[in-house]
Amino acid sequence: MKRLKLAISLILLAIGASAQTDVWRSDSLQEVVVTGTGTQHLLKNAPVQTEVITNKMLRQYGGKSLEDILSGLTASFAFNDGDMGSQMQLNGLGNSYILILIDGKRIHGDVGGENDLSLIDPQNIEKIEIVKGASSALYGSDAIAGVVNVITKKHDEGLLLENATRVGSYGDVRQHNGLALRWGKLSSYTNFHMQHTDGWQNTATEYTSHFEPAITDSRSMTVNRKTNWKIAERLTYLLRPNIELYMEGSYHQRAIYRPKGKYPKYDVTYYDMQYKNASAAIGGKWTGKKSLLTLDVDWNKHAYFHEFTSIVTTEGIDNNGNLVLDFPYFPGQRQLQSDQQRVTAHAKGVFELPYSNRLSAGMEYRYDWLKAPTSIEGMEANDNTEAIYMQDEWQAALSKQAKIQLTGGLRVVRNQQFGWHVSPKLSTMLSLRDLRIRANWSQGFKTPTLKEQRYRYIREMNQIILFLGNMDLKPQKSNYFSLGTEYTAGRLTITATGYYNHVKDMITLVTISHSQAPAEYRQQYGETLNKVRQYKNMESAKTYGADLTARCVAGQWSFGIGYSYLDTQAEVYNETTHQLDDVIIDGMAHHRGNAFVTWNHRFGKAYALGIGLYGNMSSKRYYQINGDGKGYQLWRLSTTHDLGNSRWLAWRLEAGLDNIFNYVDRTDHGLHLGTTTPGTTVYATLTVRFRHGKNLKNNYKSNFNSNNDEENY
């Protein structure tokens, strides 16, 4: 903690000193953002508080994944690298409450309520916009905690060839290839990316409540060996100067390999995991002088399999299509766990109206289909939702130095199972020269997922746990309030936001008595069944806290700090005692923070150097079962080297050290970790980019824009 206090003190002193210098306004406030309102605003004029991770920040940081980027460059996110997904949390609410968008479209890949962020190629990210709090009026379900919109790079070169190869400790390899072509009105971009790690083991001790004696030489890995790759294609045709049509598709595959245990009697790692994703989309955009129309139709598929590595009897489907609890499988056989498919259609218009009004309106249709033969009742299920929404933005000048903006929106939803619901929102921003005050109220709405309703699944890992769905679940509703201020003086920007999120009927897993388990499971597993957990609606769930950030640029130096305070209150009705029990919202940490300091300098025209020191830290994370995660602080040193002076060809080398103080959480395998880092690791990335054609002059300048002395955060 002494190192942490010293680092933060030095950064604060530097910010305070640089704030006294006569410098010009931060260019970052000129960023154009779209996520908060679905329409374009300069960041400084956005009526909804939006946090932006700019392209310059991404290039300087050199993150290997979206999880790495968000945890390292913001204070509000928490992650644990797990086999089943990203285990993400934002301001006290988990993955299923955070809407992830790629260029405004929701990502598909829900595995146990967790999105697989390996679908996103970090080398193809232009910037990331983060809007915290309920956004259901604009984006529908899943947007109760907030929205993360990953905006990808746009390519309008005549020809672009790029390759980025990253290598690091523990067999970490990241590969990115891009090919952009333009033939008159037709353009194409082909993107391939691959990620691999050999995995690592931080402890050989296994938390095994039903094993005697305890295992102290387990082969279980902290992070398993895994490989995933994705290939994507996008075709764009400019029918007229103001009409653009597109088609795109992708295929993604992920494999997770789990080592066999040393003791056959206790071995539960009898299968590897395979994921296969595919997507296709078609759409278009019409742009008028003061209006915009878009239409998008897309299909997504996500399939998850077990590939058996040992002879085992487990849940399976017999030749008659019936579920059998002791079905035999042999090495090399594959079992489908879930096949999730989704079709969406979305039409939207934006219109400039008289008296400084801007109207947005849209219609959306969504169809979900799930096949999970061994883990949901009925083996198959489907759901569909229709919605219409409207939003109006109005602004007025109160004086020469002051103006006000008001944004109001409303979404009307009809769900196949739960009928009609209305989600409103209202936000306002008061601008007083360099001071901005934002207030926001919005409601969230989220129907239970098909898995939450129909789940019936045995997990035989360190413990045998039965997970059950609940057909009596009610939709979740939330009221989100926030009040924030932003002050800019020269290149110093300070923001402070307080928030309160009340989620009614929040769905969570609750441990119930064995007597409530289905009879066939009690007969099959008997006393070896450690826990029975079922999805339940909470009576009340509240999260509240405050986020603080400060960023500053002084010459060749950039500084920044972020802090997030969080507290939660949740209650669930106990059907046995007929009382309300206090329940922890899993993964909550009271304190999180991040800090960075960077230095950039160009040595002539042929070489530019960037150096960055980044820290992220968290207090203890709380969980209902399997222990709490320890607090931690991790520091990272990164360097960037831009080489050469060719207008056609750019070379870039990135190298650095992660976790430079070598912190490792050696909590027993099977319990919750604060962080899965293996300790100090090294990495290096070589990027080669060849450009030819349109906008060549601007492209040449942008090759090195992260190291230009006049560029900043």
Side-chain angles (χ1 to χ4, degrees), residues 86-97:
S86 304
Q87 299 184 20
M88 175 171 52
Q89 190 181 78
L90 170 62
N91 286 353
L93 296 177
N95 199 105
S96 61
Y97 298 95

PDB file of all heavy atoms in Angstrom, residues 86-97:
ATOM      1  N   SER A  86     -16.257 -13.914 -19.751  1.00  0.00           N
ATOM      2  CA  SER A  86     -15.414 -12.825 -19.277  1.00  0.00           C
ATOM      3  C   SER A  86     -15.620 -12.467 -17.814  1.00  0.00           C
ATOM      4  O   SER A  86     -14.823 -11.747 -17.238  1.00  0.00           O
ATOM      5  CB  SER A  86     -15.663 -11.580 -20.143  1.00  0.00           C
ATOM      6  OG  SER A  86     -15.438 -11.873 -21.494  1.00  0.00           O
ATOM      7  N   GLN A  87     -16.730 -12.936 -17.182  1.00  0.00           N
ATOM      8  CA  GLN A  87     -17.002 -12.636 -15.781  1.00  0.00           C
ATOM      9  C   GLN A  87     -16.789 -11.143 -15.488  1.00  0.00           C
ATOM     10  O   GLN A  87     -16.009 -10.750 -14.630  1.00  0.00           O
ATOM     11  CB  GLN A  87     -16.125 -13.500 -14.872  1.00  0.00           C
ATOM     12  CG  GLN A  87     -16.384 -14.985 -15.042  1.00  0.00           C
ATOM     13  CD  GLN A  87     -15.599 -15.850 -14.095  1.00  0.00           C
ATOM     14  OE1 GLN A  87     -15.128 -15.388 -13.062  1.00  0.00           O
ATOM     15  NE2 GLN A  87     -15.443 -17.107 -14.429  1.00  0.00           N
ATOM     16  N   MET A  88     -17.496 -10.316 -16.221  1.00  0.00           N
ATOM     17  CA  MET A  88     -17.354  -8.871 -16.144  1.00  0.00           C
ATOM     18  C   MET A  88     -18.348  -8.287 -15.156  1.00  0.00           C
ATOM     19  O   MET A  88     -19.440  -8.807 -14.954  1.00  0.00           O
ATOM     20  CB  MET A  88     -17.586  -8.278 -17.541  1.00  0.00           C
ATOM     21  CG  MET A  88     -17.600  -6.767 -17.615  1.00  0.00           C
ATOM     22  SD  MET A  88     -17.622  -6.190 -19.336  1.00  0.00           S
ATOM     23  CE  MET A  88     -19.002  -7.101 -19.997  1.00  0.00           C
ATOM     24  N   GLN A  89     -17.958  -7.186 -14.517  1.00  0.00           N
ATOM     25  CA  GLN A  89     -18.861  -6.466 -13.630  1.00  0.00           C
ATOM     26  C   GLN A  89     -18.632  -4.971 -13.773  1.00  0.00           C
ATOM     27  O   GLN A  89     -17.502  -4.508 -13.935  1.00  0.00           O
ATOM     28  CB  GLN A  89     -18.645  -6.873 -12.172  1.00  0.00           C
ATOM     29  CG  GLN A  89     -19.730  -6.327 -11.248  1.00  0.00           C
ATOM     30  CD  GLN A  89     -19.495  -6.707  -9.800  1.00  0.00           C
ATOM     31  OE1 GLN A  89     -18.661  -6.106  -9.134  1.00  0.00           O
ATOM     32  NE2 GLN A  89     -20.216  -7.692  -9.318  1.00  0.00           N
ATOM     33  N   LEU A  90     -19.751  -4.204 -13.765  1.00  0.00           N
ATOM     34  CA  LEU A  90     -19.701  -2.749 -13.862  1.00  0.00           C
ATOM     35  C   LEU A  90     -20.563  -2.160 -12.758  1.00  0.00           C
ATOM     36  O   LEU A  90     -21.773  -2.413 -12.698  1.00  0.00           O
ATOM     37  CB  LEU A  90     -20.207  -2.291 -15.235  1.00  0.00           C
ATOM     38  CG  LEU A  90     -20.452  -0.788 -15.431  1.00  0.00           C
ATOM     39  CD1 LEU A  90     -19.154  -0.013 -15.262  1.00  0.00           C
ATOM     40  CD2 LEU A  90     -21.074  -0.509 -16.804  1.00  0.00           C
ATOM     41  N   ASN A  91     -19.931  -1.416 -11.864  1.00  0.00           N
ATOM     42  CA  ASN A  91     -20.640  -0.719 -10.789  1.00  0.00           C
ATOM     43  C   ASN A  91     -21.617  -1.629 -10.044  1.00  0.00           C
ATOM     44  O   ASN A  91     -22.764  -1.273  -9.786  1.00  0.00           O
ATOM     45  CB  ASN A  91     -21.370   0.514 -11.333  1.00  0.00           C
ATOM     46  CG  ASN A  91     -20.400   1.643 -11.662  1.00  0.00           C
ATOM     47  OD1 ASN A  91     -19.221   1.557 -11.373  1.00  0.00           O
ATOM     48  ND2 ASN A  91     -20.899   2.693 -12.273  1.00  0.00           N
ATOM     49  N   GLY A  92     -21.149  -2.841  -9.711  1.00  0.00           N
ATOM     50  CA  GLY A  92     -21.908  -3.734  -8.846  1.00  0.00           C
ATOM     51  C   GLY A  92     -22.809  -4.715  -9.549  1.00  0.00           C
ATOM     52  O   GLY A  92     -23.347  -5.616  -8.903  1.00  0.00           O
ATOM     53  N   LEU A  93     -22.991  -4.601 -10.853  1.00  0.00           N
ATOM     54  CA  LEU A  93     -23.872  -5.505 -11.584  1.00  0.00           C
ATOM     55  C   LEU A  93     -23.069  -6.303 -12.601  1.00  0.00           C
ATOM     56  O   LEU A  93     -22.138  -5.782 -13.218  1.00  0.00           O
ATOM     57  CB  LEU A  93     -24.990  -4.731 -12.278  1.00  0.00           C
ATOM     58  CG  LEU A  93     -25.963  -4.009 -11.339  1.00  0.00           C
ATOM     59  CD1 LEU A  93     -26.985  -3.208 -12.142  1.00  0.00           C
ATOM     60  CD2 LEU A  93     -26.672  -4.986 -10.407  1.00  0.00           C
ATOM     61  N   GLY A  94     -23.450  -7.569 -12.762  1.00  0.00           N
ATOM     62  CA  GLY A  94     -22.659  -8.497 -13.540  1.00  0.00           C
ATOM     63  C   GLY A  94     -22.901  -8.445 -15.031  1.00  0.00           C
ATOM     64  O   GLY A  94     -23.645  -7.611 -15.566  1.00  0.00           O
ATOM     65  N   ASN A  95     -22.272  -9.397 -15.705  1.00  0.00           N
ATOM     66  CA  ASN A  95     -22.181  -9.442 -17.152  1.00  0.00           C
ATOM     67  C   ASN A  95     -23.540  -9.349 -17.843  1.00  0.00           C
ATOM     68  O   ASN A  95     -23.686  -8.673 -18.866  1.00  0.00           O
ATOM     69  CB  ASN A  95     -21.489 -10.747 -17.548  1.00  0.00           C
ATOM     70  CG  ASN A  95     -20.938 -10.723 -18.944  1.00  0.00           C
ATOM     71  OD1 ASN A  95     -19.740 -10.617 -19.140  1.00  0.00           O
ATOM     72  ND2 ASN A  95     -21.804 -10.829 -19.919  1.00  0.00           N
ATOM     73  N   SER A  96     -24.535 -10.041 -17.315  1.00  0.00           N
ATOM     74  CA  SER A  96     -25.830 -10.083 -18.004  1.00  0.00           C
ATOM     75  C   SER A  96     -26.568  -8.751 -17.952  1.00  0.00           C
ATOM     76  O   SER A  96     -27.579  -8.578 -18.631  1.00  0.00           O
ATOM     77  CB  SER A  96     -26.712 -11.181 -17.402  1.00  0.00           C
ATOM     78  OG  SER A  96     -26.966 -10.937 -16.031  1.00  0.00           O
ATOM     79  N   TYR A  97     -26.085  -7.793 -17.154  1.00  0.00           N
ATOM     80  CA  TYR A  97     -26.707  -6.472 -17.067  1.00  0.00           C
ATOM     81  C   TYR A  97     -25.930  -5.416 -17.856  1.00  0.00           C
ATOM     82  O   TYR A  97     -26.294  -4.247 -17.838  1.00  0.00           O
ATOM     83  CB  TYR A  97     -26.814  -6.032 -15.616  1.00  0.00           C
ATOM     84  CG  TYR A  97     -27.672  -6.940 -14.779  1.00  0.00           C
ATOM     85  CD1 TYR A  97     -27.104  -7.958 -14.029  1.00  0.00           C
ATOM     86  CD2 TYR A  97     -29.054  -6.794 -14.746  1.00  0.00           C
ATOM     87  CE1 TYR A  97     -27.884  -8.811 -13.263  1.00  0.00           C
ATOM     88  CE2 TYR A  97     -29.851  -7.636 -13.990  1.00  0.00           C
ATOM     89  CZ  TYR A  97     -29.258  -8.647 -13.254  1.00  0.00           C
ATOM     90  OH  TYR A  97     -30.032  -9.487 -12.511  1.00  0.00           O
TER      91      TYR A  97
END
